[in-house]
Amino acid sequence: MSSLVSHWSIPVAELLRHPGTRREVDLSGDLGDIRVTASRVRPAVEIQVGGTIKSLDNVTVEFRGTVRAPWDGECRRCLGPAEGDLTVDVHELFERAPESEDIYPLLADRLDLEPLARDALYLELPQAPLCKADCQGLCPECGADRNTVDCGHAVDELDPRWDALRELGEKN
Ligand SMILES: [Zn+2]
Ligand SMILES: [Zn+2]
C-alpha cells in the first residue's frame, strides 16, 4: 500500500456537513487488470470516471455518473481479436458505517471511486464478445475462419449446436 492518498479518493467531510451539496468529479487513470473469462480491461489503459457526488444527509453521499474504459477480448465465434468501449452508468451510495453490502464504506470521510469503477467494469465486461455482429465463426467441419475462407462446407442451419450459439449471441 502506498502512503499517498489515491487520486480516486475524494474528501467528502464538507459535503457531509452540508446535506444537499454537490461536487463534480472528472477523473482518469488506470486500475490494473480487470478481466472476465473472455474479455478484459488491460492494466495500463485509461479509465474515465465522471459524475456528481451529493450528500444526502450527515452520513450518506451518493455518486451518479459514468465509468468508461476500452476493453479487448476473444471473439466467441472465430476466436479472433474483439474490442470495444464500455460506458457504464452508475448510481451508488456511500456511508460512514454501511449496514448493507450494497453500500460502499466512506473511510476517513473519503469516497473512493476505485472499487466503484472496478466493480462497474467487471460487471459489464462482455462474457461472450464478438469481433463484429455478423462474425461467421469457424467452420465446424474443418475449423476454417469463415470470415476469410470459403472452405466449401455447407453450414447446417438445423444443427442444434448452432441454435444454442445463436441464442447466446443474441443476448449480447
Ligand atoms: Zn469473430
Ligand atoms: Zn470447412
Side-chain angles (χ1 to χ4, degrees), residues 56-110:
L56 302 182
D57 53 37
N58 293 121
V59 294
T60 313
V61 295
E62 68 169 12
F63 175 78
R64 282 177 189 268
T66 55
V67 179
R68 293 191 173 86
W71 62 270
D72 66 68
E74 183 178 79
C75 176
R76 65 177 307 283
R77 289 186 192 153
C78 72
L79 308 182
E83 61 181 23
D85 290 297
L86 278 179
T87 298
V88 188
D89 291 324
V90 291
H91 178 206
E92 298 291 346
L93 297 177
F94 292 72
E95 282 183 3
R96 278 180 173 156
E99 288 178 1
S100 162
E101 287 184 0
D102 296 332
I103 300 177
Y104 290 91
L106 291 174
L107 299 175
D109 285 349
R110 300 182 77 94

Side-chain angles (χ1 to χ4, degrees), residues 74-82 129-132 134-138 145 147:
E74 183 178 79
C75 176
R76 65 177 307 283
R77 289 186 192 153
C78 72
L79 308 182
L130 295 175
C131 62
K132 54 187 178 185
D134 63 347
C135 173
Q136 300 301 303
L138 302 179
D145 182 348
N147 295 301

